[in-house]
Amino acid sequence: MLWVTCPRCGHRPIDEFKFGGEIPDVPASITDDAARDLDRVWMFNNVDGVTTERWFHEGGCRRWMTLKRDTHLDRVIED
Amino acid sequence: MNEFVETLLDLHWHEPKSSYDVVIVGGGGHGLATAYYLATRHGITNVAVVEANYIGSGNSGRNTTIIRANYGIPESIRFYQHSMDLYKTLEDDTGCWIMHNTKGLIWLAHTESAMRSERARCQLNTAMGTETIMVDPAEIKQLCPQIDLTGSGRYPVLGASHHVGASTARHDRVVWAYAQGAMRLGVHVLQNTPVTGLLMDGDRVTGVKTATGNISAGVVMSAVGGDVTQFAAHAGVRLPIRTHPLQAFVTNGYAQGFGPIISDTELLSYVSQTARGQMLIGAEYDRQQSFSRQSSFDFLQSCATKVSYLLPFLKNLRIMRQWTGRCDVSSDFSPVMGFTPAPGFVITTGWGTWGFKAIPAGGEAMAELIATDTTPEIIEPFSLNRFATDHSMADQGSTGTR
Ligand SMILES: Cc1cc2nc3c(=O)[nH]c(=O)nc-3n(C[C@H](O)[C@H](O)[C@H](O)COP(=O)(O)OP(=O)(O)OC[C@H]3O[C@@H](n4cnc5c(N)ncnc54)[C@H](O)[C@@H]3O)c2cc1C
Ligand SMILES: [Zn+2]
C-alpha cells in the first residue's frame, strides 16, 4: 500500500485519495494556440519516471494536494 | 514462448533483413494479427514483426480473455461485434485451436439506477444487432446456480443484462495462431529485438533502430502496448494515453460447470472459469498511472472480498497466481487506430484493459489501412485526429467492468 503525507491530515493510506492526474505540461515546441489547447486537454506526458500530479484527499480533509511520484516503480517521493 | 510450445507450432525464425515493406513494432496480438491479415488478405509478405521480448509477453498473454461487444456507443458495438464474428471463424481460418468458447456474459445490477443502465445497454445493443437481453433473478440463478442472489445480504441482485454471444479464448493460442499463419506466408518475426528508436527523414518515419542494426521500412506500425507514449515520442507524436497497471488472479481448480462470465459494475470486478477449471478474477485498473508490474496484496484482498459476496464458494478456494499488465488507457476509453501526424508511421493503441477482444478486427482494419493507404470506415471514428475535431468517443462501457 502506498502512503501519502497530506499537509493537513498527516501520513494516510492512498485508498483515501482520488487520483487527479499529472499536471498538464504542454511542450514548448508546440506553439500554435489551438494545438496547445488540444494538447492540454487531451494529451498526456505519461512519464515513465518522476511526475508531479494532483491528488484529492476524499477520505480526509477533502482538499487537493500536489504530489511527486516515481511512476516507474509507483513510489511516492516525499521531500 | 517455451521450447515445448515451439515444437507444436509451425514457426520459421529468420535473421533480420535490412529492409521491409512494413515493419510492425510489438509482437502482441494486434501486431501479429495485422501481419497475418497483410499476408492473407493483401498479399503483402515482405513484413517484419519486431518484438522486444517473446511474442505474447505483453498484455496479450496476460489478459482475462473476455470477448464481448456489449458496449455503450454505436461505433464501438459495431467494431467489437465484427471482432466477435471474426473470432468465431478464427479456428477455421488459421487451422489452430484457440479454445474459443461461447459462454454468455451476465452484467449484474444491484440498484435501480444500475438496472436503468443495463436496460439502456440492451436497447442500444439490440438496435445494433448485438444480442443483449434483460434477465430477472430467477433466470440468473438458472444460468449461474452458484450465485448468491442476496449478495451475502449486502449486494442484492435486482436483475442483469445477458450478453448471449460473449466468449473466451486461450490468449496465447490466439497470439501463436496469428504468428504461425503470418510466418507460413513469409512474414519475419524477430523476437528479443527491442526497437530503440526510429529512423527519420524530416517528419517522415523511414525505419527502426535496433541493437543489431537499422531496418528501413516503407511503413512503420506501432503496436507496443503500454510503452506507446515513449515509443511514439521518437516520431514526435503526442498521444492521449496514460499507462495504468491492471491486475488479475486465478484460484485452484473448481468443479467444471461455472458456465457464464459474471460482471459487476458496482463491485468493479468480473469472474469466469478457465478451461482448466481455475476461477479467473479481474477488476478495474489501478487508479494511478504507472509502469510498475508489481502485483499488490491490497488488490487481492479487496477484489477477493467483493467477488465472494456474490459467489460465496470462492471463499473455499486458494489463490494460485496473481499478475499485472501495463495498459494503454486512452482519454476517452476508446482505441486509437490509424495515421499519425508523422508520415510513414501508423499506430494501434488505446487498447487499455479491453483490447484482447479487438485483436481480429483491429488487425484486419490496420492491415487494410496499410495496404490501401486509406482509413477503413469501421475504424474511422477511432482516428487520432478525433480529439482535434471534437469527436471523442467517450465510452464508459469499454473497461472490463464499466
Ligand atoms: C490483467 C489484464 C486483463 C485483461 N483482460 C481483458 C479482457 O478480458 N478482454 C479484453 O478484451 N482485453 C483484456 N485486457 C486488455 C488486452 O490484454 C490488451 O488490450 C491487448 O492484449 C493489447 O494487445 P497489444 O498487441 O496492443 O499489446 P501487447 O500484447 O501488450 O503487445 C505489445 C508488445 O510490444 C512489445 N514492445 C514494447 N515496446 C517495444 C519496443 N520498443 N520494441 C519492440 N517491441 C516492443 C512488448 O514486449 C509487447 O509484447 C486485459 C489486460 C490485462 C493486463
Ligand atoms: Zn488531508
Side-chain angles (χ1 to χ4, degrees), chain B residues 68-72 77 84 105 107 121 125 130 132 161 163 397:
Chain B
R68 61 181 181 87
N70 56 344
Y71 277 68
I77 300 169
M84 269 174 72
L105 185 152
W107 207 307
R121 185 198 304 282
N125 286 191
T130 289
T132 310
S161 68
H163 179 39

Side-chain angles (χ1 to χ4, degrees), chain B residues 202-271:
Chain B
D203 279 357
R204 170 170 283 276
V205 174
T206 58
V208 300
K209 297 181 189 168
T210 76
T212 47
N214 293 346
I215 304 175
S216 63
V219 177
V220 174
M221 173 166 122
S222 164
V224 297
D227 299 320
V228 69
T229 302
Q230 285 67 26
F231 189 71
H234 293 307
V237 172
R238 302 266 299 161
L239 292 173
I241 299 289
R242 287 193 273 199
T243 300
H244 284 267
L246 178 68
Q247 308 189 37
F249 65 93
V250 285
T251 68
N252 61 339
Y254 171 72
Q256 292 284 353
F258 187 88
I261 303 157
I262 300 288
S263 185
D264 195 300
T265 313
E266 196 165 338
L267 298 173
L268 296 173
S269 38
Y270 52 96
V271 183

Side-chain angles (χ1 to χ4, degrees), chain A residues 6-9 17 57 60-63:
Chain A
C6 171
R8 289 164 288 272
C9 312
F17 296 81
H57 196 181
C61 58
R62 300 193 58 79
R63 303 263 299 269

Side-chain angles (χ1 to χ4, degrees), chain B residues 165-382:
Chain B
S167 60
T168 59
R170 175 80 202 162
H171 48 19
D172 30 32
R173 281 177 180 267
V174 171
V175 169
W176 301 334
Y178 279 122
Q180 177 178 285
M183 284 162 115
R184 275 187 182 149
L185 291 173
V187 168
H188 288 190
V189 177
L190 314 172
Q191 297 195 111
N192 303 309
T193 310
V195 171
T196 53
L198 291 170
L199 302 175
M200 304 289 294
D201 178 7
D203 279 357
R204 170 170 283 276
V205 174
T206 58
V208 300
K209 297 181 189 168
T210 76
T212 47
N214 293 346
I215 304 175
S216 63
V219 177
V220 174
M221 173 166 122
S222 164
V224 297
D227 299 320
V228 69
T229 302
Q230 285 67 26
F231 189 71
H234 293 307
V237 172
R238 302 266 299 161
L239 292 173
I241 299 289
R242 287 193 273 199
T243 300
H244 284 267
L246 178 68
Q247 308 189 37
F249 65 93
V250 285
T251 68
N252 61 339
Y254 171 72
Q256 292 284 353
F258 187 88
I261 303 157
I262 300 288
S263 185
D264 195 300
T265 313
E266 196 165 338
L267 298 173
L268 296 173
S269 38
Y270 52 96
V271 183
S272 68
Q273 186 170 36
T274 69
R276 259 185 273 182
Q278 304 168 326
M279 300 306 298
L280 174 58
I281 296 160
E284 276 294 83
Y285 57 76
D286 291 7
R287 93 199 75 186
Q288 71 270 29
Q289 66 201 67
S290 100
F291 290 78
S292 162
R293 277 199 187 130
Q294 184 72 51
S295 299
S296 71
F297 181 71
D298 310 317
F299 163 81
L300 206 54
Q301 192 176 33
S302 98
C303 190
T305 307
K306 289 192 272 188
V307 290
S308 303
Y309 284 131
L310 296 170
L311 301 165
F313 77 91
L314 291 173
K315 289 183 200 161
N316 300 321
L317 301 181
R318 286 157 205 270
I319 290 161
M320 303 296 281
R321 281 185 302 122
Q322 180 189 3
W323 64 93
T324 305
R326 303 195 304 222
C327 298
D328 40 346
V329 178
S330 57
S331 296
D332 60 357
F333 303 98
S334 286
V336 177
M337 277 178 277
F339 297 108
T340 69
F345 185 62
V346 301
I347 201 161
T348 183
T349 185
W351 292 117
T353 64
W354 51 84
F356 175 71
K357 65 180 74 64
I359 287 170
E364 185 193 50
M366 288 306 293
E368 187 183 332
L369 178 136
I370 292 168
T372 62
D373 203 27
T374 29
T375 304
E377 207 237 319
I378 191 165
I379 61 164
E380 210 146 26
F382 304 114

